Amino acid sequence: METRIAKGPAAWAGVASAVAGAGLGELAAVIAAPRSSPFAAIGSVLIDLAPTWAKDLAIALFGTADKIALLVLIGAVLLGVAAVSGLIQRIRPPWGSVLAGALGVVGIVAALTRANPDALAIVPSAIAGAVGAAGVWLLIRRRQAEQAEGLSRRGFLTASGAAAIVGVAAAAWSAVGTATDRTIQAIRAAIRLPSAQDPASVPDGAELAIDGLDPVITPNRDFYRIDTALVVPEIDPAQWSLRIHGLVEREVTLSWDELLALPLEESVTTLACVSNTVGGGLIGNAVWLGYPIRHLLAEAGPLPEADMVMSRSQDGFSAGTPLETLTDDRHAILAVGMNGDPLPFEHGFPVRMVVPGLYGYVSATKWVVELEVTRFDRARAYWTDRGWSARGPIKLQSRIDVPRGTEVPSGETVVAGVAWQQHVGVAGVEVSVDGGSWQRAQLTSAISDDTWVQWSLPVVLDAGEHTLACRALSRRGETQTSDTAPPAPDGATGHHSVRVTAV
Ligand SMILES: Nc1nc2c(c(=O)[nH]1)N[C@H]1C(S)=C(S)[C@@H](COP(=O)(O)O)O[C@H]1N2
Ligand SMILES: [Mo]
């Protein structure tokens, strides 16, 4: 009579097989289908399916490391299910193998549901599932045979260890392979962007030299990044084109070379994320080089009933932008340059949209490939479908950057920060100490109404704990509301306040 093998080796057989399958699947992706790696495909589907609260929680807990956290979570679930597949295979063959294979099917389905799937999209997950299923079947059979013949576990341990090592090695190889696929990096590095007709400039007196205060222009490496892309798209500009269609008199397509041949303009625009909490850092200001979208729309000729432009990215994101914000005279552009460089990959290389006055989720499409002229009552964008407001004008906000958190010497201390309401402009900032009267801060000269502005105010603090709060006044005559609202559905409100101890 056959006695069952122990649970430990059975679970390990499942785990070792899954590691082998996942590793070989990732390697196959690097070779054959870059955007269909099992992890990336499943992760991307989870991002698209995640309810708003889960997305907010992920950003709150992990910030911009939210994607790494997601991959770790997927890995942990995979290993758990793999162990279960070994335990099932031990008592109910072949159902453990079937479960391992089903993980591959999940990956296949995930890869096929992505926007613009690779031609060989099913291959990586098919390999992963097949290796995982065969592995758990063979390893458990082996251990059973050893046990029946009274042999030691040596053969089983060697085989399962080899499977795990192959998997880890393949995964490492795929990671290196991804990092050394420098073709498109080299293309980007070789790009010399044309210079602007009329270069943007930062006026004297726009910048205060105060430690801890965000600089007026945010360096690219410090610029916040928010998107749904688990794998940053790497688009060869030679393959890029933009198609303008929908409710237009004539379709327009534009290639990279055609775009660069147009007279490009420089503009300074502050970009902000609707998910930014009061006092948060999901905001940055850059000098953008690009071409006004209004000229391209004029060529296409929007029909009178149109009121929205749905932009779509190569990776399936979409944003619905009010047509009038793209046809009025603001600097709504197809951007190719950011602070003097071609767009970084994470910020939309080769081409993204930048529209002053609107949160990024309704306007700032990165890796943009399509503009469909349509109507708000006919089409819903990515985040609109997930409960966020269809329209996203930027709310009046201000933030204290210094002092922040720690102790300050008692006596005179400078409070400083930034304030913004793009395309409306900031007329003033006021500061209140310990709930006292609002005192007017000194504003720097703004670059324009489309950018944030720095402010500062010296205050006198006695030794002890204090609360500093700020509020902005807009050029439309409004005062920043003290009513608190969370980011969803259309942007956080409330006054930013910080607690400091004067010593
Ligand atoms: N393709 C694509 N574009 C996108 C997004 C995205 O998820 N995918 N996110 C938008 C959001 S919500 C914001 S706030 C801005 C952020 O731009 P940044 O990452 O360059 O700061 O990009 C916008 N453009
Ligand atoms: Mo955003």
Side-chain angles (χ1 to χ4, degrees):
M1 187 197 119
E2 190 187 319
T3 47
R4 277 181 188 153
I5 66 168
K7 287 181 182 167
W12 164 244
V15 167
S17 307
V19 169
L24 291 171
E26 292 301 312
L27 185 57
V30 170
I31 297 165
R35 295 186 302 110
S36 308
S37 112
F39 272 87
I42 291 172
S44 306
V45 167
L46 289 178
I47 289 174
D48 287 354
L49 294 179
T52 299
W53 62 262
K55 176 206 164 225
D56 291 349
L57 185 69
I59 292 181
L61 287 177
F62 305 110
T64 23
D66 53 349
K67 299 196 171 76
I68 293 166
L70 177 65
L71 291 176
V72 170
L73 176 74
I74 295 171
V77 170
L78 170 69
L79 293 184
V81 175
V84 169
S85 80
L87 293 170
I88 293 177
Q89 182 70 8
R90 161 183 174 268
I91 50 172
R92 296 255 185 287
W95 290 108
S97 271
V98 170
L99 176 58
L103 291 173
V105 173
V106 170
I108 291 175
V109 171
L112 289 178
T113 57
R114 305 314 302 151
N116 314 308
D118 299 298
L120 299 176
I122 68 168
V123 170
S125 289
I127 289 177
V131 169
V136 70
W137 192 70
L138 290 171
L139 287 172
I140 288 199
R141 211 181 52 163
R142 169 122 192 194
R143 180 65 203 125
Q144 277 164 346
E146 282 171 358
Q147 187 159 311
E149 291 166 34
L151 300 175
S152 77
R153 286 177 181 177
R154 196 197 225 151
F156 168 77
L157 289 178
T158 313
S160 56
I165 289 170
V166 164
V168 170
W173 185 0
S174 68
V176 174
T178 316
T180 52
D181 176 21
R182 301 234 174 263
T183 357
I184 296 184
Q185 272 101 326
I187 290 173
R188 175 180 175 278
I191 290 174
R192 295 287 161 267
L193 291 175
S195 33
Q197 310 284 82
D198 189 8
S201 63
V202 177
D204 292 340
E207 179 115 46
L208 297 167
I210 296 178
D211 248 12
L213 173 61
D214 252 13
V216 173
I217 303 287
T218 316
N220 290 354
R221 64 174 182 284
D222 299 333
F223 210 94
Y224 82 95
R225 173 189 166 201
I226 288 289
D227 55 57
T228 61
L230 198 52
V231 177
V232 175
E234 294 200 349
I235 302 173
D236 181 349
Q239 307 295 320
W240 177 87
S241 71
L242 178 80
R243 177 168 168 248
I244 305 176
H245 66 109
L247 299 176
V248 293
E249 276 156 21
R250 59 201 87 73
E251 272 197 38
V252 171
T253 37
L254 187 72
S255 71
W256 171 252
D257 287 338
E258 287 165 344
L259 175 56
L260 287 202
L262 295 169
L264 302 185
E265 295 177 2
E266 230 170 41
S267 47
V268 190
T269 296
T270 298
L271 208 63
C273 182
V274 69
S275 296
N276 199 25
T277 47
V278 173
L282 299 179
I283 177 164
N285 186 38
V287 181
W288 307 96
L289 176 71
Y291 187 68
I293 294 171
R294 65 174 179 277
H295 298 328
L296 298 170
L297 285 174
E299 214 177 298
L303 300 180
E305 67 263 36
D307 65 2
M308 183 250 256
V309 173
M310 182 75 84
S311 52
R312 294 194 179 85
S313 69
Q314 192 244 19
D315 67 331
F317 171 85
S318 56
T321 311
L323 179 63
E324 74 268 11
T325 64
L326 300 176
T327 51
D328 67 17
D329 63 357
R330 77 185 76 193
H331 293 288
I333 57 168
L334 282 180
V336 297
M338 181 176 183
N339 291 330
D341 284 327
L343 294 178
F345 287 103
E346 312 79 61
H347 296 291
F349 180 81
V351 183
R352 77 174 304 167
M353 285 171 56
V354 175
V355 183
L358 303 175
Y359 287 118
Y361 82 107
V362 292
S363 68
T365 305
K366 306 192 268 191
W367 315 292
V368 65
V369 292
E370 186 189 332
L371 302 183
E372 184 191 355
V373 180
T374 177
R375 292 178 52 86
F376 275 102
D377 60 13
R378 261 185 226 177
R380 295 164 71 80
Y382 188 94
W383 286 114
T384 323
D385 257 344
R386 288 161 176 76
W388 294 76
S389 166
R391 291 169 194 263
I394 301 237
K395 295 182 178 176
L396 180 61
Q397 264 298 343
S398 54
R399 187 182 80 193
I400 298 173
D401 283 5
V402 285
R404 202 110 180 220
T406 45
E407 296 181 340
V408 295
S410 56
E412 190 175 283
T413 257
V414 173
V415 187
V418 283
W420 63 89
Q421 186 173 29
Q422 292 90 296
H423 213 61
V424 173
V426 173
V429 170
E430 295 174 334
V431 173
S432 153
V433 180
D434 299 324
S437 66
W438 290 99
Q439 306 167 51
R440 194 76 175 226
Q442 180 97 41
L443 279 193
T444 58
S445 8
I447 298 173
S448 78
D449 286 343
D450 293 340
T451 69
W452 63 9
V453 57
Q454 293 183 341
W455 55 267
S456 71
L457 180 74
V459 296
V460 176
L461 301 178
D462 314 328
E465 289 236 354
H466 298 281
T467 302
L468 308 172
C470 66
R471 67 178 188 191
L473 314 171
S474 82
R475 286 168 56 112
R476 246 192 232 145
E478 278 153 352
T479 302
Q480 181 186 333
T481 178
S482 61
D483 295 345
T484 59
D490 61 1
T493 62
H495 293 165
H496 185 215
S497 70
V498 298
R499 294 195 60 75
V500 291
T501 308
V503 289

